[in-house]
Amino acid sequence: ATMIKLATVLVVVLAVAYTFVWPTALFILGMGASCAAKTTCSAIFVSNRNFTVQDLALECSFGPLPYLVSVNVDHASKSVLATAIFGVDTQKSVFFDRHRGCGLLTAHELAHGHKTKIDVPRAETPVDQEWPAGNKVDTPKNPNLQKAHGKHFEGQNTLNTRAILVAHGGKIVYEQYAQPNFGP
């Protein structure tokens, strides 16, 4: 009788795990693969950054999840394939030259080959108009702000800071970037 009760409890626990835990785990691993593919593609092909698993962990903010995803970068086709642990999900992100951006492929495109041609024109931001309407930014040199924020970009105390931007009164009054290719 004790063995039957134990077997019944085990069956119930496995049924609950299969019904609720497994689909959630698959969803989370899929999100991790999606984040890994898109983030790595954008970092390498848009921002021209060197990118490591540690960078991926910082970007995706999923705790240990990026370590459960393998990432393969294909520089020839400008694409990134990310596969979750045990192959439960695979996501592919492709760089589109015309739009200077990356996009995830659909499951159909992944299964049948990438044939998508995105033909949506990219909105151009006027370079001659002041921010926020355009890209023109005239930031005054402010030594107090430079001194206060300089520590975020120096040595071991970087806190993984990539950029600092201070807007006041509708204008950008200060900006600093950790790396040249992070700039405006």
Side-chain angles (χ1 to χ4, degrees):
T2 306
M3 262 329 225
I4 293 174
K5 286 181 183 177
L6 186 60
T8 303
V9 169
L10 182 61
V11 167
V12 168
V13 167
L14 289 174
V16 168
Y18 182 77
T19 304
F20 298 106
V21 176
W22 183 245
T24 303
L26 289 178
F27 175 77
I28 291 171
L29 287 170
M31 291 298 293
S34 297
C35 180
K38 173 66 171 72
T39 302
T40 304
C41 185
S42 294
I44 293 173
F45 300 116
V46 177
S47 298
N48 296 316
R49 292 170 43 205
N50 292 327
F51 210 62
T52 65
V53 173
Q54 289 78 18
D55 293 325
L56 184 58
L58 291 171
E59 294 279 337
C60 287
S61 301
F62 286 132
L65 195 55
Y67 298 100
L68 302 175
V69 176
S70 66
V71 176
N72 296 307
V73 179
D74 183 349
H75 289 275
S77 67
K78 293 186 178 178
S79 65
V80 176
L81 190 68
T83 304
I85 192 167
F86 306 125
V88 296
D89 197 357
T90 299
Q91 296 291 329
K92 185 174 185 178
S93 185
V94 176
F95 175 76
F96 296 98
D97 284 310
R98 180 171 180 227
H99 305 287
R100 293 277 313 140
C102 293
L104 286 169
L105 299 183
T106 64
H108 178 78
E109 292 169 324
L110 192 56
H112 296 84
H114 167 57
K115 296 177 184 129
T116 302
K117 182 178 179 187
I118 297 177
D119 204 18
V120 178
R122 183 179 183 152
E124 294 297 324
T125 306
V127 291
D128 58 339
Q129 292 183 18
E130 291 257 346
W131 179 87
N135 284 340
K136 187 176 178 183
V137 176
D138 185 25
T139 55
K141 298 295 178 213
N142 187 324
N144 293 331
L145 284 171
Q146 287 176 327
K147 185 177 176 183
H149 294 112
K151 66 182 177 199
H152 294 290
F153 297 101
E154 296 171 0
Q156 296 295 321
N157 297 322
T158 63
L159 303 172
N160 297 312
T161 305
R162 301 250 168 85
I164 293 176
L165 186 132
V166 179
H168 178 73
K171 294 199 178 277
I172 296 175
V173 296
Y174 177 77
E175 62 183 326
Q176 182 177 352
Y177 299 92
Q179 297 175 12
N181 57 350
F182 276 5

